Protein backbone atom coordinates (compact mmCIF):
# COMPACT_ATOMS: atom_id res chain seq x y z
CA UNK A 1 0.00 0.00 0.00
CA UNK A 2 1.21 3.52 -0.84
CA UNK A 3 0.49 5.94 2.00
CA UNK A 4 0.81 9.73 2.15
CA UNK A 5 0.88 11.62 5.48
CA UNK A 6 0.22 15.37 5.40
CA UNK A 7 2.13 17.57 7.85
CA UNK A 8 5.53 18.43 9.27
CA UNK A 9 5.30 18.33 13.05
CA UNK A 10 6.05 15.96 15.88
CA UNK A 11 2.55 14.57 15.52
CA UNK A 12 3.22 13.66 11.88
CA UNK A 13 6.60 12.12 12.72
CA UNK A 14 4.88 9.94 15.31
CA UNK A 15 2.18 8.95 12.81
CA UNK A 16 4.77 8.16 10.12
CA UNK A 17 6.84 6.13 12.59
CA UNK A 18 3.80 4.11 13.65
CA UNK A 19 2.50 3.60 10.11
CA UNK A 20 5.93 2.58 8.81
CA UNK A 21 5.90 -0.44 11.14
CA UNK A 22 2.85 -1.92 9.41
CA UNK A 23 3.61 -4.88 7.11
CA UNK A 24 0.97 -3.46 4.76
CA UNK A 25 2.89 -0.21 4.22
CA UNK A 26 4.89 -0.65 1.02
CA UNK A 27 5.72 3.01 0.36
CA UNK A 28 5.36 5.91 2.79
CA UNK A 29 5.46 9.58 1.82
CA UNK A 30 5.10 12.75 3.89
CA UNK A 31 4.39 16.27 2.65
CA UNK A 32 6.30 18.33 3.56
CA UNK A 33 7.82 16.33 6.45
CA UNK A 34 10.97 17.28 8.36
CA UNK A 35 14.52 16.08 8.99
CA UNK A 36 13.40 13.29 11.33
CA UNK A 37 10.57 12.04 9.14
CA UNK A 38 13.13 11.53 6.34
CA UNK A 39 14.32 8.42 8.20
CA UNK A 40 10.97 6.62 7.90
CA UNK A 41 9.30 8.23 4.87
CA UNK A 42 10.08 9.94 1.57
CA UNK A 43 9.51 13.65 2.17
CA UNK A 44 7.83 15.70 -0.54
CA UNK A 45 8.32 19.52 -0.60
CA UNK A 46 4.63 20.39 -0.81
CA UNK A 47 3.08 22.79 1.73
CA UNK A 48 0.06 21.53 3.67
CA UNK A 49 -1.92 24.49 2.32
CA UNK A 50 -1.16 23.65 -1.34
CA UNK A 51 -4.13 21.37 -1.90
CA UNK A 52 -3.86 21.30 -5.69
CA UNK A 53 -0.25 20.08 -5.58
CA UNK A 54 -1.15 17.46 -2.96
CA UNK A 55 -3.96 16.16 -5.16
CA UNK A 56 -1.68 16.11 -8.23
CA UNK A 57 0.90 14.10 -6.27
CA UNK A 58 -1.74 11.64 -5.09
CA UNK A 59 -2.95 11.04 -8.65
CA UNK A 60 0.47 10.85 -10.30
CA UNK A 61 1.88 8.46 -7.67
CA UNK A 62 -1.19 6.21 -7.30
CA UNK A 63 -1.45 6.85 -3.55
CA UNK A 64 -3.83 4.37 -1.88
CA UNK A 65 -4.43 6.13 1.45
CA UNK A 66 -3.93 9.64 2.85
CA UNK A 67 -3.60 10.56 6.54
CA UNK A 68 -4.07 14.27 7.24
CA UNK A 69 -2.27 15.49 10.37
CA UNK A 70 -2.95 19.24 10.88
CA UNK A 71 -6.27 21.05 11.05
CA UNK A 72 -5.68 23.59 8.26
CA UNK A 73 -6.09 21.29 5.24
CA UNK A 74 -9.03 19.55 6.96
CA UNK A 75 -10.89 22.84 7.36
CA UNK A 76 -9.93 23.74 3.77
CA UNK A 77 -11.60 20.58 2.47
CA UNK A 78 -8.73 18.27 1.52
CA UNK A 79 -10.72 15.19 2.58
CA UNK A 80 -13.62 16.25 0.34
CA UNK A 81 -11.30 16.51 -2.67
CA UNK A 82 -9.73 13.12 -1.94
CA UNK A 83 -13.14 11.50 -1.59
CA UNK A 84 -14.10 12.98 -4.98
CA UNK A 85 -11.09 11.14 -6.41
CA UNK A 86 -12.12 7.91 -4.70
CA UNK A 87 -9.02 7.93 -2.45
CA UNK A 88 -9.56 6.69 1.14
CA UNK A 89 -8.44 9.37 3.59
CA UNK A 90 -8.28 9.71 7.37
CA UNK A 91 -9.93 12.83 8.73
CA UNK A 92 -13.25 14.70 8.68
CA UNK A 93 -14.67 16.53 5.68
CA UNK A 94 -14.80 20.33 5.65
CA UNK A 95 -18.25 20.62 7.26
CA UNK A 96 -17.29 18.38 10.18
CA UNK A 97 -13.86 20.04 10.49
CA UNK A 98 -15.63 23.32 11.26
CA UNK A 99 -16.05 22.05 14.82
CA UNK A 100 -12.40 23.05 15.20
CA UNK A 101 -12.52 25.84 12.63
CA UNK A 102 -15.16 27.71 14.64
CA UNK A 103 -15.27 27.61 18.43
CA UNK A 104 -18.66 29.31 18.29
CA UNK A 105 -20.09 26.54 16.15
CA UNK A 106 -19.03 23.97 18.75
CA UNK A 107 -20.54 26.04 21.56
CA UNK A 108 -23.83 26.25 19.66
CA UNK A 109 -23.76 22.45 19.20
CA UNK A 110 -23.31 22.03 22.96
CA UNK A 111 -26.20 24.39 23.61
CA UNK A 112 -28.56 22.52 21.25
CA UNK A 113 -27.75 19.05 22.58
CA UNK A 114 -27.22 19.80 26.30
CA UNK A 115 -23.52 18.94 26.27
CA UNK A 116 -21.84 20.23 29.47
CA UNK A 117 -19.60 23.22 28.74
CA UNK A 118 -18.91 26.74 29.96
CA UNK A 119 -21.56 29.45 29.61
CA UNK A 120 -20.73 31.58 26.59
CA UNK A 121 -21.64 34.36 24.18
CA UNK A 122 -20.51 35.14 20.60
CA UNK A 123 -19.69 38.58 19.19
CA UNK A 124 -18.60 39.97 15.83
CA UNK A 125 -18.27 43.56 17.04
CA UNK A 126 -15.73 44.64 19.71
CA UNK A 127 -17.89 47.17 21.56
CA UNK A 128 -20.66 44.64 22.08
CA UNK A 129 -18.09 42.18 23.40
CA UNK A 130 -16.78 44.78 25.85
CA UNK A 131 -20.32 45.59 27.00
CA UNK A 132 -20.77 41.91 27.82
CA UNK A 133 -17.60 42.02 29.95
CA UNK A 134 -18.87 45.13 31.80
CA UNK A 135 -22.08 43.34 32.68
CA UNK A 136 -20.65 39.89 33.51
CA UNK A 137 -17.27 40.84 34.93
CA UNK A 138 -14.14 38.73 35.27
CA UNK A 139 -12.34 36.33 35.51
CA UNK A 140 -13.43 35.31 32.04
CA UNK A 141 -12.01 33.69 28.89
CA UNK A 142 -11.78 35.46 25.53
CA UNK A 143 -11.18 33.34 22.42
CA UNK A 144 -10.67 34.05 18.74
CA UNK A 145 -13.39 32.04 17.00
CA UNK A 146 -11.22 30.57 14.22
CA UNK A 147 -7.93 28.72 13.86
CA UNK A 148 -5.14 30.55 15.70
CA UNK A 149 -2.51 27.81 16.17
CA UNK A 150 -3.47 27.43 19.82
CA UNK A 151 -2.58 31.04 20.60
CA UNK A 152 -5.95 32.80 20.36
CA UNK A 153 -7.17 32.03 23.89
CA UNK A 154 -6.83 34.55 26.73
CA UNK A 155 -7.64 33.88 30.37
CA UNK A 156 -8.46 37.31 31.77
CA UNK A 157 -8.46 37.88 35.52
CA UNK A 158 -9.70 41.49 35.36
CA UNK A 159 -11.87 43.49 32.98
CA UNK A 160 -8.97 45.48 31.49
CA UNK A 161 -7.22 42.27 30.46
CA UNK A 162 -10.41 41.19 28.73
CA UNK A 163 -10.75 44.53 26.91
CA UNK A 164 -7.14 44.25 25.76
CA UNK A 165 -7.70 40.71 24.51
CA UNK A 166 -10.74 41.84 22.53
CA UNK A 167 -8.74 44.71 21.00
CA UNK A 168 -5.85 42.41 20.11
CA UNK A 169 -8.13 39.86 18.47
CA UNK A 170 -10.72 42.06 16.79
CA UNK A 171 -9.26 45.56 16.34
CA UNK A 172 -5.57 44.80 15.78
CA UNK A 173 -6.42 41.57 13.90
CA UNK A 174 -3.54 39.70 15.57
CA UNK A 175 -4.98 36.40 14.28
CA UNK A 176 -6.34 37.61 10.95
CA UNK A 177 -9.71 36.27 9.87
CA UNK A 178 -9.70 33.89 12.84
CA UNK A 179 -10.45 36.91 15.03
CA UNK A 180 -13.36 38.35 13.08
CA UNK A 181 -15.55 36.90 15.82
CA UNK A 182 -14.86 36.18 19.49
CA UNK A 183 -16.31 33.69 21.93
CA UNK A 184 -16.44 34.82 25.56
CA UNK A 185 -16.82 32.10 28.20
CA UNK A 186 -17.00 31.67 31.92
CA UNK A 187 -13.71 30.49 33.40
CA UNK A 188 -14.01 26.82 34.31
CA UNK A 189 -12.14 25.65 37.40
CA UNK A 190 -10.57 22.20 37.52
CA UNK A 191 -7.91 20.16 35.78
CA UNK A 192 -7.61 19.75 32.03
CA UNK A 193 -7.44 16.46 30.14
CA UNK A 194 -7.33 15.35 26.50
CA UNK A 195 -9.82 12.70 25.39
CA UNK A 196 -9.57 11.07 21.96
CA UNK A 197 -11.98 8.86 20.04
CA UNK A 198 -11.90 7.38 16.56
CA UNK A 199 -15.18 7.71 14.69
CA UNK A 200 -16.00 6.00 11.39
CA UNK A 201 -19.47 7.44 10.95
CA UNK A 202 -21.25 4.86 13.08
CA UNK A 203 -18.76 3.30 15.53
CA UNK A 204 -16.99 5.28 18.27
CA UNK A 205 -13.75 3.78 19.58
CA UNK A 206 -12.07 5.52 22.56
CA UNK A 207 -8.29 5.86 22.67
CA UNK A 208 -6.23 6.35 25.83
CA UNK A 209 -6.75 9.74 27.52
CA UNK A 210 -3.76 12.03 27.97
CA UNK A 211 -2.77 15.29 29.62
CA UNK A 212 -0.62 18.00 28.12
CA UNK A 213 1.19 21.05 29.46
CA UNK A 214 0.28 24.20 27.54
CA UNK A 215 2.16 26.85 29.52
CA UNK A 216 5.70 27.67 28.41
CA UNK A 217 7.46 27.42 31.77
CA UNK A 218 7.71 25.21 34.85
CA UNK A 219 4.85 25.33 37.29
CA UNK A 220 2.42 26.02 34.43
CA UNK A 221 3.65 29.62 34.26
CA UNK A 222 4.05 31.89 31.28
CA UNK A 223 2.16 32.20 28.00
CA UNK A 224 0.23 29.34 26.44
CA UNK A 225 1.94 27.40 23.68
CA UNK A 226 0.97 24.63 21.27
CA UNK A 227 2.06 22.24 24.04
CA UNK A 228 5.32 21.72 25.94
CA UNK A 229 4.83 18.06 26.86
CA UNK A 230 2.26 15.34 27.45
CA UNK A 231 1.77 11.92 28.99
CA UNK A 232 -0.63 9.03 28.94
CA UNK A 233 -2.48 7.42 30.48
CA UNK A 234 -3.96 10.29 32.49
CA UNK A 235 -4.67 9.14 36.08
CA UNK A 236 -7.18 11.99 36.36
CA UNK A 237 -9.47 10.29 33.84
CA UNK A 238 -10.79 7.38 35.86
CA UNK A 239 -13.16 4.80 34.35
CA UNK A 240 -16.06 6.67 35.92
CA UNK A 241 -14.93 9.96 34.37
CA UNK A 242 -14.29 8.28 31.00
CA UNK A 243 -17.79 6.77 31.00
CA UNK A 244 -19.30 10.17 31.75
CA UNK A 245 -17.28 11.78 28.96
CA UNK A 246 -18.52 9.19 26.48
CA UNK A 247 -22.17 9.35 27.59
CA UNK A 248 -22.53 13.05 28.32
CA UNK A 249 -20.16 14.61 25.75
CA UNK A 250 -18.88 12.36 22.95
CA UNK A 251 -21.98 10.33 22.03
CA UNK A 252 -24.34 13.37 22.08
CA UNK A 253 -21.79 15.26 19.95
CA UNK A 254 -21.56 12.56 17.27
CA UNK A 255 -25.35 12.18 17.18
CA UNK A 256 -25.83 15.95 17.12
CA UNK A 257 -23.25 16.43 14.37
CA UNK A 258 -25.07 13.88 12.22
CA UNK A 259 -28.41 15.57 12.89
CA UNK A 260 -26.86 18.90 11.88
CA UNK A 261 -25.66 17.41 8.57
CA UNK A 262 -22.03 17.43 9.71
CA UNK A 263 -21.42 13.68 10.18
CA UNK A 264 -18.00 13.06 11.71
CA UNK A 265 -15.27 10.64 10.62
CA UNK A 266 -11.69 10.64 11.87
CA UNK A 267 -10.25 11.39 15.28
CA UNK A 268 -12.22 13.69 17.58
CA UNK A 269 -10.13 15.32 20.30
CA UNK A 270 -12.12 16.69 23.23
CA UNK A 271 -10.30 19.21 25.37
CA UNK A 272 -11.90 18.75 28.80
CA UNK A 273 -12.01 20.46 32.15
CA UNK A 274 -12.63 18.02 34.99
CA UNK A 275 -14.59 20.15 37.44
CA UNK A 276 -16.21 19.39 40.79
CA UNK A 277 -19.47 18.83 38.89
CA UNK A 278 -17.81 16.47 36.43
CA UNK A 279 -16.26 16.72 32.96
CA UNK A 280 -17.07 19.73 30.79
CA UNK A 281 -16.05 20.39 27.21
CA UNK A 282 -13.61 23.24 26.60
CA UNK A 283 -13.32 22.79 22.84
CA UNK A 284 -13.02 20.23 20.07
CA UNK A 285 -10.13 19.54 17.75
CA UNK A 286 -10.64 17.35 14.71
CA UNK A 287 -7.15 15.80 14.58
CA UNK A 288 -4.64 14.24 16.93
CA UNK A 289 -3.16 16.57 19.51
CA UNK A 290 0.47 17.58 19.34
CA UNK A 291 2.23 16.58 21.63
CA UNK A 292 -0.38 14.05 22.86
CA UNK A 293 -0.10 12.01 19.65
CA UNK A 294 3.53 11.15 20.38
CA UNK A 295 3.00 9.23 23.65
CA UNK A 296 -0.23 7.72 22.30
CA UNK A 297 1.58 6.31 19.24
CA UNK A 298 4.40 5.01 21.48
CA UNK A 299 1.83 3.04 23.52
CA UNK A 300 -0.16 1.76 20.55
CA UNK A 301 0.37 -1.97 20.06
CA UNK A 302 -2.15 -2.43 17.23
CA UNK A 303 -1.24 -1.85 13.58
CA UNK A 304 -1.62 1.93 13.19
CA UNK A 305 -2.11 1.82 9.43
CA UNK A 306 -4.85 -0.82 9.61
CA UNK A 307 -6.60 1.06 12.42
CA UNK A 308 -6.65 4.40 10.59
CA UNK A 309 -7.71 2.74 7.34
CA UNK A 310 -10.54 0.91 9.12
CA UNK A 311 -11.70 4.26 10.50
CA UNK A 312 -11.69 5.80 7.02
CA UNK A 313 -13.52 2.82 5.51
CA UNK A 314 -16.18 2.43 8.21
CA UNK A 315 -14.86 -0.83 9.68
CA UNK A 316 -14.07 0.17 13.28
CA UNK A 317 -16.65 -2.27 14.61
CA UNK A 318 -14.19 -5.04 13.66
CA UNK A 319 -11.39 -3.66 15.88
CA UNK A 320 -10.31 -3.84 19.49
CA UNK A 321 -7.28 -1.63 20.04
CA UNK A 322 -4.33 -3.17 21.86
CA UNK A 323 -2.06 -1.02 24.00
CA UNK A 324 1.33 -1.56 25.57
CA UNK A 325 0.96 -1.61 29.35
CA UNK A 326 3.72 0.97 29.72
CA UNK A 327 3.11 4.64 30.41
CA UNK A 328 4.55 7.21 27.99
CA UNK A 329 5.74 10.78 28.46
CA UNK A 330 6.82 13.42 25.95
CA UNK A 331 9.07 16.44 26.60
CA UNK A 332 8.99 19.17 23.96
CA UNK A 333 12.22 21.04 23.25
CA UNK A 334 11.50 24.48 21.84
CA UNK A 335 13.56 27.32 20.41
CA UNK A 336 14.55 29.93 22.98
CA UNK A 337 11.97 32.71 22.85
CA UNK A 338 9.05 30.51 21.75
CA UNK A 339 6.08 31.17 21.75
CA UNK A 340 7.35 34.66 20.96
CA UNK A 341 10.09 35.44 18.43
CA UNK A 342 12.90 32.91 18.05
CA UNK A 343 15.86 32.11 15.82
CA UNK A 344 15.87 29.43 13.13
CA UNK A 345 18.82 27.56 11.71
CA UNK A 346 20.61 26.79 14.97
CA UNK A 347 22.49 23.48 15.01
CA UNK A 348 21.29 20.56 17.12
CA UNK A 349 23.79 17.87 18.18
CA UNK A 350 23.52 14.64 20.15
CA UNK A 351 20.32 13.36 18.52
CA UNK A 352 21.81 9.98 17.66
CA UNK A 353 22.94 9.43 21.26
CA UNK A 354 19.53 10.38 22.63
CA UNK A 355 17.75 8.09 20.16
CA UNK A 356 19.84 5.09 21.29
CA UNK A 357 18.37 5.20 24.78
CA UNK A 358 16.09 2.25 25.53
CA UNK A 359 12.38 2.89 24.92
CA UNK A 360 13.02 6.44 23.69
CA UNK A 361 11.98 8.10 20.44
CA UNK A 362 13.09 11.58 19.45
CA UNK A 363 10.28 12.82 17.22
CA UNK A 364 11.19 15.83 15.10
CA UNK A 365 8.90 18.82 14.60
CA UNK A 366 10.60 22.06 13.52
CA UNK A 367 13.80 20.62 12.07
CA UNK A 368 15.59 20.74 8.73
CA UNK A 369 18.87 19.60 7.22
CA UNK A 370 21.58 22.12 6.39
CA UNK A 371 24.91 20.88 5.03
CA UNK A 372 24.21 17.42 6.52
CA UNK A 373 23.57 18.93 9.96
CA UNK A 374 20.23 19.02 11.77
CA UNK A 375 19.10 22.59 12.47
CA UNK A 376 16.04 24.17 14.06
CA UNK A 377 13.29 25.31 11.73
CA UNK A 378 10.40 26.24 13.99
CA UNK A 379 9.22 27.04 17.50
CA UNK A 380 8.56 23.57 18.86
CA UNK A 381 11.48 21.58 17.50
CA UNK A 382 11.75 18.14 19.14
CA UNK A 383 9.44 15.80 21.07
CA UNK A 384 11.54 13.49 23.23
CA UNK A 385 9.20 10.62 24.14
CA UNK A 386 9.84 7.63 26.39
CA UNK A 387 8.08 4.56 27.74
CA UNK A 388 8.24 3.32 31.31
CA UNK A 389 6.39 1.05 33.70
CA UNK A 390 5.05 4.19 35.33
CA UNK A 391 4.82 7.84 34.33
CA UNK A 392 7.62 8.54 36.78
CA UNK A 393 9.90 6.03 35.04
CA UNK A 394 8.95 7.33 31.59
CA UNK A 395 9.76 10.86 32.75
CA UNK A 396 13.18 9.79 34.01
CA UNK A 397 14.02 8.16 30.66
CA UNK A 398 12.75 11.10 28.63
CA UNK A 399 14.81 13.64 30.56
CA UNK A 400 17.89 11.43 30.40
CA UNK A 401 17.58 11.57 26.61
CA UNK A 402 16.92 15.33 26.69
CA UNK A 403 20.18 15.82 28.57
CA UNK A 404 22.09 14.04 25.80
CA UNK A 405 20.93 16.59 23.23
CA UNK A 406 23.34 19.47 22.70
CA UNK A 407 21.30 22.49 21.65
CA UNK A 408 22.23 25.73 23.47
CA UNK A 409 19.52 27.66 21.64
CA UNK A 410 16.70 25.45 22.90
CA UNK A 411 14.82 25.01 26.15
CA UNK A 412 12.26 22.70 27.73
CA UNK A 413 10.16 22.48 30.84
CA UNK A 414 11.67 20.35 33.59
CA UNK A 415 8.42 19.31 35.25
CA UNK A 416 6.40 17.48 32.59
CA UNK A 417 4.10 14.95 34.26
CA UNK A 418 4.10 16.61 37.67
CA UNK A 419 0.34 16.30 38.13
CA UNK A 420 0.49 12.53 37.68
CA UNK A 421 3.53 11.96 39.95
CA UNK A 422 2.59 12.28 43.59
CA UNK A 423 5.96 11.68 45.25
Amino acid sequence: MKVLVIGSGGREHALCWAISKSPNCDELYCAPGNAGIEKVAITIPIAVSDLSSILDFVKKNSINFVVVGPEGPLVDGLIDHLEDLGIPAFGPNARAAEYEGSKGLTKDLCDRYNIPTARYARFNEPNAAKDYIRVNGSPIVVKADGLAAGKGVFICYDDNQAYSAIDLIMTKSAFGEAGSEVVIEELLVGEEASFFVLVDGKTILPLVPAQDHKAAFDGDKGPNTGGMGAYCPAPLVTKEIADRVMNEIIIPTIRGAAADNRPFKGVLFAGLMITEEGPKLIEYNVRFGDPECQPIMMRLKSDALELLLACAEGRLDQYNIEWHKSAALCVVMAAEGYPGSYKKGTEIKGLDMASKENDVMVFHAGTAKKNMFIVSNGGRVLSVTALGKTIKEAKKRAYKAVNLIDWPDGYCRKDIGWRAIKD
Side-chain angles (χ1 to χ4, degrees), residues 192-235:
E192 290 189 42
S194 303
F195 197 93
F196 299 87
V197 294
L198 296 180
V199 187
D200 69 358
K202 56 184 187 294
T203 300
I204 304 172
L205 201 57
L207 303 180
V208 287
Q211 283 189 280
D212 77 332
H213 297 259
K214 293 183 176 66
F217 308 126
D218 288 5
D220 293 328
K221 305 294 185 184
N224 270 1
T225 69
M228 294 300 293
Y231 54 90
C232 73

Side-chain angles (χ1 to χ4, degrees), residues 310-350:
C311 183
E313 294 182 342
R315 298 183 285 107
L316 278 182
D317 59 344
Q318 302 172 16
Y319 277 82
N320 288 312
I321 305 178
E322 292 186 76
W323 301 97
H324 293 291
K325 293 181 180 180
S326 307
L329 182 139
C330 168
V331 178
V332 170
M333 299 187 72
E336 195 68 52
Y338 173 82
S341 60
Y342 52 84
K343 290 192 297 182
K344 293 184 179 181
T346 59
E347 187 178 351
I348 306 168
K349 300 177 182 178

Side-chain angles (χ1 to χ4, degrees), residues 81-102:
H81 292 302
L82 291 165
E83 288 178 347
D84 289 343
L85 294 174
I87 307 296
F90 178 79
N93 62 24
R95 281 185 61 78
E98 285 188 58
Y99 288 121
E100 179 164 0
S102 170

Side-chain angles (χ1 to χ4, degrees), residues 39-232:
K39 292 188 176 182
V40 293
I42 300 168
T43 55
I44 310 298
I46 301 174
V48 299
S49 59
D50 188 353
L51 302 197
S52 62
S53 294
I54 291 171
L55 294 169
D56 285 343
F57 179 84
V58 167
K59 288 183 285 187
K60 289 176 182 176
N61 292 272
S62 301
I63 298 298
N64 305 115
F65 184 46
V66 179
V67 176
V68 183
E71 62 275 17
L74 294 171
V75 172
D76 290 343
L78 179 55
I79 297 294
D80 305 69
H81 292 302
L82 291 165
E83 288 178 347
D84 289 343
L85 294 174
I87 307 296
F90 178 79
N93 62 24
R95 281 185 61 78
E98 285 188 58
Y99 288 121
E100 179 164 0
S102 170
K103 295 178 179 65
L105 183 74
T106 292
K107 300 297 288 190
D108 290 348
L109 173 88
C110 292
D111 189 49
R112 274 194 302 279
Y113 298 105
N114 298 313
I115 296 165
T117 189
R119 294 188 304 275
Y120 76 104
R122 301 174 66 175
F123 300 95
N124 56 18
E125 199 280 319
N127 289 331
K130 290 180 181 178
D131 288 342
Y132 181 85
I133 299 295
R134 291 187 185 98
V135 171
N136 290 276
S138 49
I140 209 159
V141 181
V142 179
K143 299 180 177 181
D145 178 69
L147 299 178
K151 299 174 185 175
V153 177
F154 298 88
I155 299 173
C156 306
Y157 293 98
D158 62 52
D159 292 5
N160 287 332
Q161 284 182 332
Y163 301 150
S164 296
I166 291 165
D167 285 336
L168 183 68
I169 295 169
M170 304 192 79
T171 306
K172 298 179 182 178
S173 299
F175 306 102
E177 283 298 310
S180 60
E181 183 173 316
V182 294
V183 175
I184 301 179
E185 300 179 353
E186 69 169 319
L187 177 64
L188 294 177
V189 177
E191 191 172 335
E192 290 189 42
S194 303
F195 197 93
F196 299 87
V197 294
L198 296 180
V199 187
D200 69 358
K202 56 184 187 294
T203 300
I204 304 172
L205 201 57
L207 303 180
V208 287
Q211 283 189 280
D212 77 332
H213 297 259
K214 293 183 176 66
F217 308 126
D218 288 5
D220 293 328
K221 305 294 185 184
N224 270 1
T225 69
M228 294 300 293
Y231 54 90
C232 73

Side-chain angles (χ1 to χ4, degrees), residues 247-265:
N247 293 324
E248 298 173 19
I249 297 176
I250 301 296
I251 292 173
T253 292
I254 299 304
R255 289 175 178 169
D260 291 347
N261 195 27
R262 298 178 189 272
F264 193 89
K265 288 179 72 173

